[in-house]
């Protein structure tokens, strides 16, 4: 009965507190709504209204720095109003102009303890400080205000707020309120130090790193995330901060956070480790020794694309120089998820996975493994990207894969050579990388690689046969031309492309034939041997490409070129074999030569200008073509 009576006595008190809190919230909402309405007004009028509101809240903060309950309630409401206004970046400058920074910094600290009531009560403990930290963090989003806030003394107070967690159990403080103020303080430090190297250093000098590292093991996950976010910012491009974070024994806690089921936790943790490792081989070794490799690989399969991206970047950093680490990354299962990420709709995810695979592809066995697991085709597709960085990472990966003889046949059979030749590359470094890749492939077209390619030309499906023939026309040694293009029918495959309905295939075939002709000319007996003793027949210039007394006509894409059988028989063994042997055209007066105009027609024109067809008809590749008529 006594307990029930005691509860009944406290009921009106609780109802009164609830009513009071509701009134405060309504008051805040009215003030915020009034400012929002003003923001929609014409610029001059809106600016005046907002400034007046800021001045009013600043005056409240400047006149309520005490433990008086009414003062604390009013100050709490003022910080909240300023924070709500600061969420609108267009209003931030007016808040700073209105003098809010010094007033907010003042309320990051508690009022003098001598003013605490005799019952030692601390009304709204942590609440005012939390509101001030939150508002300052929002103001710090604009880089031009960061130094102003620091110069007002905010850092030392924010660091003091981080340390409040140590007192939670000592004085029985409201842990929820403490968690909130710590989190807002860590967020404010993050925003203040963002891309500001001098403030990062000031945070360290103010002693901010040790309490942030301690907070990584805090029970509240929001506090963990905020602390990790601050450390991530502080570690970026600041070697002294990196070293102190590691010296404070942050690695074990960070590695545990990598295994968290909460995406927000492992995303921040992998970001901190990535910044620690960047450009620091010694810290990289410590991170690996602490057991980070497997959980980082595990994040490649995370549902959080940001964590996947950071994990791929970190694996690329792990694989930068250490050959053993490259092998271990592949052995522990990183290749397959990285290849899957190459096909993600997220451009940054594709870029980071290509970056990691490029680093891994500097190891011979990894090169074969990446290609075997299906990495070749998606990497080739990325060459079509308009993103220069993504395109370059893909090209670098392909350069690595082309170093392994086991990959060359696959590279050629899927059309990789044509992809490299046809690509439009925006960065010179990418162009150089592609040229080196083609050269690397060319150097490997011999021995067992060439034998496998010849095998594919005989037994593979037609599309693959043509890709192989096209690639070999560009890459093979002149010494191997006869074996490839005569003995193994490679020439027939190229000539078949000229009759294709696809202009692209026609062009590819013509260019390949032209390249092949140039190579053949280098070794041609026409150029290298003494003049043939075969009798020559010379006609007057008036009979060159003249229908008068012509008994042979060549049709080239509908154009007629006139010649004389006796001249051709006397000038070329190829024509003698064609007309006297078992060729389809021996009894015809018209040889229908369906060829691609860019080089055959130019050759015909050159022959006509030179005054004889011998120049054209003795060209090795043209003779080979005519020989295919039987």
């Amino acid at each position: 009965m006594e307990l029930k009576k005691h509860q009944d006595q406290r009921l009106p008190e609780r109802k009164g507190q609830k009513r009071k809190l509701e009134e405060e919230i309504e008051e805040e909402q009215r003030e915020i709504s009034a400012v929002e309405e003003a923001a929609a007004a014409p610029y001059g009028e809106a600016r005046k209204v907002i400034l007046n509101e800021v001045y009013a809240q600043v005056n409240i903060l400047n006149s309520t720095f005490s433990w008086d309950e009414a003062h604390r309630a009013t100050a709490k409401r003022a910080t909240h109003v300023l924070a709500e206004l600061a969420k609108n970046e267009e209003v931030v400058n007016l808040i700073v102009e209105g003098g809010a920074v010094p007033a907010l910094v003042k309320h990051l600290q508690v009022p003098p303890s001598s003013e605490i009531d005799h019952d030692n009560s601390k009304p709204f403990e942590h609440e005012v400080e939390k509101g001030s930290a939150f508002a300052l963090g929002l103001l710090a989003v604009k880089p031009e205000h960061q130094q102003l806030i620091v110069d007002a003394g905010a850092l030392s107070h924010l660091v003091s707020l981080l340390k409040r967690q140590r007192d939670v159990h000592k004085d029985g403080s409201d842990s929820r309120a403490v968690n909130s103020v710590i989190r807002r303080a860590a967020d404010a430090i993050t925003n203040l130090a963002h891309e500001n190297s001098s403030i990062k250093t000031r945070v360290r000098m103010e002693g901010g790193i040790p309490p942030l590292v301690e907070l990584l093991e805090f029970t509240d996950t929001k506090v963990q995330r905020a602390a990790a976010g601050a450390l991530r910012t502080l570690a970026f491009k600041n070697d002294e901060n990196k070293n102190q974070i590691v010296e404070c024994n942050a690695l074990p806690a960070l590695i545990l956070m990598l295994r968290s089921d909460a995406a927000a936790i492992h995303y921040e943790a992998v970001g901190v480790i990535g910044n620690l490792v960047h450009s620091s081989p010694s810290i990289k070794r410590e991170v690996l020794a602490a057991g980070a490799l497997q959980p980082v690989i595990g994040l490649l399969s995370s549902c959080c694309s940001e964590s996947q991206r950071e994990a791929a970047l970190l694996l690329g950093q792990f694989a930068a120089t250490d050959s053993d680490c490259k092998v271990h990354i592949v052995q522990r299962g990183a290749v397959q998820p990285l290849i899957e990420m190459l096909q993600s709709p997220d451009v940054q995810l594709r870029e980071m996975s290509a970056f990691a695979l490029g680093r891994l592809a500097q190891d011979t066995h990894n090169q074969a493994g990446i290609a075997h697991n299906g990495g070749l085709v998606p990497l080739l597709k990325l060459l079509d990207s308009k993103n220069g960085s993504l395109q370059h990472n893909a090209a670098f990966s392909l350069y690595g894969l082309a170093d392994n003889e086991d990959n060359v046949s696959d590279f050629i059979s899927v059309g990789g050579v044509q992809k490299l030749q046809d690509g439009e590359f925006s960065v010179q470094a990418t162009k150089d990388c592609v040229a080196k890749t083609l050269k690397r492939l060319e150097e490997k077209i011999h021995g067992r690689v060439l034998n496998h390619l010849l095998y594919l030309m005989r037994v593979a499906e037609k599309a693959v046969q043509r890709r192989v023939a096209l690639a070999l026309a560009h890459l093979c040694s002149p010494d191997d031309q006869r074996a490839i293009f005569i003995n193994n029918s490679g020439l027939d495959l190229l000539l078949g492309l000229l009759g294709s309905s696809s202009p692209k295939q026609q062009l590819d075939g013509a260019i390949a034939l032209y390249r092949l002709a140039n190579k053949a000319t280098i070794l041609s007996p026409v150029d290298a041997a003494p003049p043939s003793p075969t009798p020559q027949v010379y006609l007057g210039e008036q009979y060159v490409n003249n229908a008068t007394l012509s008994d042979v006509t060549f049709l080239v894409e509908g154009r007629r070129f006139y010649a004389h059988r006796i001249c051709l028989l006397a000038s070329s063994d190829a024509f003698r074999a064609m007309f006297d042997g078992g060729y389809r055209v021996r009894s015809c007066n018209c040889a229908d030569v369906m060829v691609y105009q860019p080089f055959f027609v130019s050759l015909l024109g050159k022959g006509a200008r030179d005054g004889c067809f011998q120049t054209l008809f003795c060209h090795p590749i043209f003779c080979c073509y005519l020989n295919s008529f039987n």
Side-chain angles (χ1 to χ4, degrees):
M1 292 294 294
E2 287 296 325
L3 177 61
K4 185 177 185 305
K5 181 179 179 181
H6 180 69
Q7 289 175 340
D8 291 341
Q9 289 175 345
R10 294 189 60 182
L11 192 59
E13 180 183 350
R14 288 183 180 178
K15 287 184 178 179
Q17 289 176 344
K18 181 180 178 182
R19 186 167 52 252
K20 186 176 181 181
L21 181 60
E22 289 172 349
E23 291 173 355
E24 290 176 359
I25 293 172
E26 290 175 1
E27 176 87 21
E28 290 176 10
Q29 290 301 322
R30 282 196 297 271
E31 292 175 347
I32 294 168
S33 297
V35 175
E36 288 175 346
E37 290 175 7
Y43 174 74
E45 181 181 344
R47 187 178 188 279
K48 182 177 179 181
V49 171
I50 293 170
L51 266 177
N52 287 338
E53 181 62 30
V54 172
Y55 289 143
Q57 302 305 324
V58 169
N59 287 334
I60 289 171
L61 291 176
N62 287 334
S63 61
T64 57
F65 190 59
S66 76
W67 280 113
D68 179 80
E69 184 173 357
H71 283 183
R72 293 290 285 177
T74 307
K76 175 192 170 186
R77 186 167 64 249
T79 60
H80 183 71
V81 170
L82 291 173
E84 287 296 317
L85 292 174
K87 291 178 180 179
N88 183 349
E89 285 193 31
E90 296 179 2
V91 178
V92 166
N93 289 343
L94 293 177
I95 296 173
V96 173
E97 183 182 337
V101 169
L104 289 168
V105 170
K106 182 178 182 180
H107 281 269
L108 288 175
Q109 53 190 324
V110 298
S113 57
S114 59
E115 297 184 14
I116 300 176
D117 294 338
H118 65 278
D119 60 355
N120 204 34
S121 63
K122 295 181 178 179
F124 300 102
E125 187 178 16
H126 312 299
E127 295 290 341
V128 179
E129 298 93 309
K130 178 187 76 173
S132 296
F134 184 35
L136 288 168
L138 293 170
L139 298 179
V141 168
K142 285 202 169 185
E144 59 266 32
H145 303 320
Q146 291 170 343
Q147 196 60 50
L148 173 66
I149 295 170
V150 170
D151 290 343
L155 278 183
S156 60
H157 299 318
L158 290 170
V159 172
S160 295
L161 292 178
L162 295 178
K163 297 176 181 178
R164 286 199 178 182
Q165 53 94 8
R166 298 172 180 171
D167 303 324
V168 171
H169 301 295
K170 292 181 181 178
D171 58 8
S173 300
D174 181 359
S175 60
R176 184 175 178 181
V178 173
N179 294 350
S180 296
V181 72
I182 293 171
R183 178 162 58 92
R184 294 304 186 191
D187 289 340
I189 289 174
T190 301
N191 291 347
L192 284 169
H194 181 66
E195 295 186 356
N196 192 315
S197 57
S198 63
I199 293 179
K200 290 177 188 177
T201 300
R202 282 282 299 274
V203 173
R204 185 182 75 252
M205 295 174 67
E206 293 283 353
I209 289 178
L212 285 170
V213 171
E214 290 181 27
L215 292 172
L216 295 177
E217 301 184 57
F218 207 64
T219 53
D220 187 289
T221 56
K222 291 182 179 179
V223 172
Q224 286 182 31
R225 183 181 63 188
L231 290 171
R232 178 179 186 167
T233 298
L234 296 173
F236 185 64
K237 294 184 178 179
N238 191 304
D239 291 340
E240 291 81 5
N241 284 1
K242 290 181 186 180
N243 292 333
Q244 189 174 75
I245 291 169
V246 174
E247 289 166 3
C248 290
N249 201 32
L251 294 182
L254 288 170
I255 291 171
L256 287 175
M257 292 170 68
L258 291 176
R259 299 180 182 274
S260 171
D261 292 332
I265 297 295
H266 58 62
Y267 166 65
E268 293 294 355
V270 74
V272 179
I273 293 174
N275 287 348
L276 290 173
V277 166
H278 183 67
S279 300
S280 181
S282 60
I283 293 180
K284 183 180 82 170
R285 287 191 293 271
E286 289 192 54
V287 168
L288 289 170
L293 185 55
Q294 196 61 54
V296 170
I297 291 173
L299 289 180
L300 296 176
S301 303
S302 168
C303 60
C304 172
S305 61
E306 289 85 358
S307 294
Q308 288 180 292
R309 185 181 69 239
E310 293 290 339
L313 174 61
L314 186 51
L315 288 176
Q317 292 173 323
F318 285 157
T321 55
D322 189 332
S323 180
D324 288 341
C325 191
K326 290 183 179 74
V327 175
H328 295 160
I329 291 170
V330 173
Q331 289 173 332
R332 289 167 175 258
V335 169
Q336 197 58 52
L338 284 172
I339 291 172
E340 291 172 4
M341 288 161 61
L342 291 174
Q343 302 165 74
S344 166
D346 186 327
V347 174
Q348 290 185 321
L349 203 55
R350 297 199 300 270
E351 180 184 343
M352 289 302 102
S353 57
F355 167 75
L357 287 169
R359 295 293 183 87
L360 295 174
Q362 304 312 302
D363 176 87
T364 302
H365 297 295
N366 290 352
Q367 292 160 0
I370 292 168
H372 177 73
N373 281 279
L376 193 56
V377 171
L379 284 169
L380 286 167
K381 287 181 179 179
L382 292 182
L383 295 179
D384 294 331
S385 172
K386 302 302 181 184
N387 182 303
S389 180
L390 173 56
Q391 196 180 60
H392 182 72
N393 283 335
F396 183 69
S397 297
L398 291 167
Y399 173 70
L401 298 185
D403 191 41
N404 193 309
E405 287 188 350
D406 292 327
N407 293 339
V408 174
S409 296
D410 289 338
F411 209 112
I412 290 174
S413 64
V414 299
V417 171
Q418 288 76 45
K419 199 77 172 177
L420 292 171
Q421 291 173 331
D422 297 342
E424 297 180 3
F425 306 112
S426 55
V427 181
Q428 185 59 45
T430 306
K431 296 177 183 177
D432 295 340
C433 186
V434 167
K436 291 178 181 178
T437 303
L438 288 169
K439 183 65 176 176
R440 182 171 269 186
L441 291 169
E442 183 178 357
E443 292 169 351
K444 290 176 170 44
I445 306 297
H446 58 78
R448 65 186 179 93
V449 173
L450 180 56
N451 288 337
H452 187 213
L453 291 170
L454 293 176
Y455 174 76
L456 291 176
M457 281 177 55
R458 294 193 300 271
V459 304
E461 59 184 35
K462 201 70 172 179
V464 173
Q465 291 179 354
R466 287 174 171 175
R467 289 178 196 140
V468 173
L470 285 169
L472 289 177
H474 292 277
L475 302 179
C476 77
S477 166
D479 295 335
D480 295 321
Q481 281 186 307
R482 177 169 291 278
I484 298 168
F485 296 100
I486 304 301
N487 300 344
N488 284 276
S489 305
L491 192 61
D492 292 338
L493 292 168
L494 296 179
L495 294 170
L497 289 170
L498 300 178
S500 169
S501 59
S502 165
K504 176 67 170 62
Q505 288 190 345
Q506 291 179 359
L507 180 60
D508 287 343
I511 293 173
L513 286 166
Y514 181 71
R515 180 67 183 272
L516 198 58
N518 286 339
K519 287 185 178 183
T521 303
I522 296 173
L523 300 181
S524 171
V526 175
D527 297 325
S532 170
T534 306
Q536 303 293 315
V537 176
Y538 295 99
L539 302 177
E541 183 176 349
Q542 67 271 26
Y543 294 106
V544 174
N545 198 17
N546 190 325
T548 304
L549 299 179
S550 169
D551 51 6
V552 177
T553 305
F554 291 94
L555 295 180
V556 182
E557 292 189 344
R559 296 178 58 191
R560 293 178 178 271
F561 293 88
Y562 301 100
H564 299 81
R565 186 183 298 260
I566 187 65
C567 180
L568 299 176
L569 286 170
S571 301
S572 168
D573 291 339
F575 282 109
R576 194 157 41 250
M578 182 179 76
F579 290 118
D580 294 342
Y583 294 96
R584 176 168 57 85
V585 296
R586 72 180 186 277
S587 59
C588 301
N589 291 331
C590 180
D592 189 1
V593 186
M594 295 302 295
V595 296
Y596 200 78
Q597 193 165 339
F599 70 97
F600 275 110
V601 172
S602 66
L603 288 172
L604 285 166
K606 182 179 186 297
R609 288 194 300 274
D610 289 345
C612 70
F613 277 85
Q614 182 179 349
T615 306
L616 165 65
F617 296 143
C618 290
H619 196 289
I621 192 66
F622 194 76
C623 291
C624 289
Y625 182 65
L626 290 173
N627 286 344
S628 70
F629 277 176
N630 63 338

